[in-house]
Amino acid sequence: MVDLKSQYEKIKPEIDQAIQDVVNSTAFINGPAVKGFQEDLEKYLGVKHVIPCANGTDALQVAMMALGIKPGDEVITTNFTFIATAEVIALLGFTPVVVDVDPHTFNIDPESVRKALTPRTRAIVPVHLFGQCADMDAMMQIAEEFNLFIIEDACQAIGADYLFADGSRKKAGTIGHVGCTSFFPSKNLGCYGDGGAIFTNNDELANQMRVVVNHGMTVRYYHDFIGVNSRLDSIQAAVLRVKLARLDAYAEARNHAADFYDNAFKNHPKLKTPARFEKSTHVFHQYTLVTEGVDRNAMQEFLMKKDVPAMIYYPVPLHMQKAYLDPRYKEGDFPVTEHLCKTVISLPMHTELDEDQLQFITSSVLEFVNR
Ligand SMILES: *Cc1c(COP(=O)(O)O)cnc(C)c1O
């Protein structure tokens, strides 16, 4: 699905030097590379505070710990996402409340959020799925009306721009009270191991999150809160500094591949190409087709045999996951998510796809659906 090796070959001297510099300095934890990356990312995102941490799941967990949400409180999120989003809610003893998505953008549906509100609701976690922002105007409106926190899961959308009606823009993850991202290698800004970060414009919240990631420690060896140990290590930060400088060019390459796919599948009766949401740019973490009247699993197998990887993101909605079964929910409650789980398929998407590869992938897909 991704070609990290070809990408590395192109930036090898810079990456190798950056890693060697960290090793030479032996400042493996909280070294200058971490501080440098934090500042680079704050500048790139136009956000006041970036708090680096160990991975995207921790980013979500730390954000929720710092916001003072209490066990039993409800946190609303989308039913169509990677498990981490709901996992941390459940792990902290909060109640995950899932809602359906928009059939075109695959993102959290504001009307469904309104229907799921109760007096116990404390926060909403919109996920900017596959690289495109959720409807943040609607999310912020609901948050204001009902005094809720918005935690953006921007793990798949770093670098995407949200476009406001007045013509202004903000980066994904910098609109709500807190934003979270992941630097997992296959993410749009991926390191060479695990990594993550939290964003906020709120000074007080930033301080609290810095305390939480560091064992709840305010003064050395004085622990006022129960925290966690969640750090981005210096080698990963050094790699990320090199790659952040190329993030916009990488998004462009992904968009080029997406346009090629769009063009090849345009108006095909059995393939629905991904819709572009008018309020967001798209950074194509995934290129996801909705199939119609196609044996989707057979299609995946057919492509695999031709060495074309294709993945199902995601095959099971959260409310049907064994660990998250909840008597409040049953099959059929979330028709859009359930339909998507049965019909979506994601094609290879990365920064190094060339015309020959794109041609081969699209003709293989068409060979299957047209036969
Ligand atoms: C990748 C991802 C996460 C978790 O990130 P990790 O770094 O793997 O912990 C959370 N939410 C979404 C939507 C993701 O895609």
Side-chain angles (χ1 to χ4, degrees), residues 55-57 60 81-82 84-85 127 153 155-156 182 184 187 195 314:
N55 55 66
T57 309
L60 289 160
T81 180
F82 179 56
T85 322
V127 178
D153 182 340
C155 289
Q156 302 188 0
S182 163
F184 187 81
K187 297 284 156 91
Y314 296 91

Side-chain angles (χ1 to χ4, degrees), residues 32-246:
V34 176
K35 184 88 183 129
F37 171 64
Q38 177 196 316
E39 289 167 0
D40 290 354
L41 191 56
E42 283 165 353
K43 192 153 168 254
Y44 174 83
L45 294 171
V47 74
K48 217 162 160 195
H49 305 280
V50 164
I51 296 117
C53 65
N55 55 66
T57 309
D58 274 9
L60 289 160
Q61 180 177 332
V62 168
M64 287 184 206
M65 289 172 77
L67 285 169
I69 304 169
K70 299 274 181 309
D73 287 349
E74 294 174 0
V75 178
I76 297 175
T77 192
T78 159
N79 203 344
F80 192 52
T81 180
F82 179 56
I83 198 69
T85 322
E87 183 177 52
V88 295
I89 301 171
L91 196 65
L92 292 169
F94 314 152
T95 305
V97 172
V98 291
V99 302
D100 216 344
V101 296
D102 178 277
H104 307 293
T105 64
F106 314 137
N107 275 325
I108 193 164
D109 173 46
E111 277 318 302
S112 305
V113 170
R114 281 187 184 272
K115 286 189 193 125
L117 294 169
T118 78
R120 301 231 61 168
T121 309
R122 287 291 169 274
I124 307 169
V125 189
V127 178
H128 304 311
L129 201 73
F130 301 152
Q132 186 168 238
C133 294
D135 188 341
M136 290 305 292
D137 286 297
M139 292 303 117
M140 298 316 288
Q141 174 67 35
I142 296 169
E144 203 165 299
E145 264 177 64
F146 297 93
N147 197 24
L148 308 172
F149 295 116
I150 299 290
I151 303 161
E152 297 177 68
D153 182 340
C155 289
Q156 302 188 0
I158 193 160
D161 278 333
Y162 191 80
L163 314 170
F164 292 92
D166 66 2
S168 64
R169 294 167 167 243
K170 276 188 188 171
K171 290 284 180 198
T174 68
I175 304 156
H177 301 88
V178 198
C180 301
T181 206
S182 163
F183 305 125
F184 187 81
S186 62
K187 297 284 156 91
N188 288 41
L189 178 59
C191 59
Y192 290 0
D194 272 308
I198 320 163
F199 326 135
T200 187
N201 284 305
N202 181 315
D203 298 341
E204 207 178 312
L205 193 51
N207 283 340
Q208 186 60 18
M209 292 194 291
R210 288 198 182 97
V211 169
V212 172
V213 295
N214 190 24
H215 300 290
M217 189 158 81
T218 42
V219 177
R220 203 171 182 87
Y221 304 128
Y222 289 79
H223 305 270
D224 293 358
F225 304 92
I226 296 175
V228 296
N229 171 25
S230 190
R231 292 185 287 245
L232 179 71
D233 72 66
S234 303
I235 288 181
Q236 300 310 332
V239 169
L240 287 165
R241 288 192 89 177
V242 175
K243 291 184 67 174
L244 178 59
R246 290 166 174 82

Side-chain angles (χ1 to χ4, degrees), residues 162-352:
Y162 191 80
L163 314 170
F164 292 92
D166 66 2
S168 64
R169 294 167 167 243
K170 276 188 188 171
K171 290 284 180 198
T174 68
I175 304 156
H177 301 88
V178 198
C180 301
T181 206
S182 163
F183 305 125
F184 187 81
S186 62
K187 297 284 156 91
N188 288 41
L189 178 59
C191 59
Y192 290 0
D194 272 308
I198 320 163
F199 326 135
T200 187
N201 284 305
N202 181 315
D203 298 341
E204 207 178 312
L205 193 51
N207 283 340
Q208 186 60 18
M209 292 194 291
R210 288 198 182 97
V211 169
V212 172
V213 295
N214 190 24
H215 300 290
M217 189 158 81
T218 42
V219 177
R220 203 171 182 87
Y221 304 128
Y222 289 79
H223 305 270
D224 293 358
F225 304 92
I226 296 175
V228 296
N229 171 25
S230 190
R231 292 185 287 245
L232 179 71
D233 72 66
S234 303
I235 288 181
Q236 300 310 332
V239 169
L240 287 165
R241 288 192 89 177
V242 175
K243 291 184 67 174
L244 178 59
R246 290 166 174 82
L247 184 58
D248 288 343
Y250 286 159
E252 221 170 281
R254 287 170 177 273
N255 269 279
H256 174 76
D259 290 345
F260 191 101
Y261 285 148
D262 275 354
N263 204 40
F265 306 136
K266 194 168 51 190
N267 301 327
H268 196 286
K270 293 181 176 175
L271 300 172
K272 202 176 137 231
T273 55
R276 309 295 196 275
F277 180 42
E278 71 275 10
K279 294 183 192 173
S280 174
T281 62
H282 205 318
V283 293
F284 283 100
H285 177 60
Q286 299 296 344
Y287 184 92
T288 303
L289 292 166
V290 182
T291 61
E292 209 178 292
V294 173
D295 183 341
R296 189 256 330 249
N297 294 355
M299 175 172 163
Q300 184 186 22
E301 239 170 78
F302 175 87
L303 293 173
M304 291 287 188
K305 281 205 190 102
K306 286 180 169 272
D307 277 329
V308 174
M311 295 291 282
I312 312 303
Y313 304 118
Y314 296 91
V316 183
L318 291 177
H319 77 290
M320 304 291 286
Q321 296 284 0
K322 237 189 209 170
Y324 295 83
L325 294 176
D326 182 320
R328 288 173 304 167
Y329 304 130
K330 58 180 189 311
E331 194 168 355
D333 284 352
F334 304 90
V336 180
T337 300
E338 290 173 38
H339 177 73
L340 290 174
C341 289
K342 290 182 192 126
T343 55
V344 289
I345 187 160
S346 298
L347 299 181
M349 175 49 77
H350 55 82
T351 58
E352 311 302 317

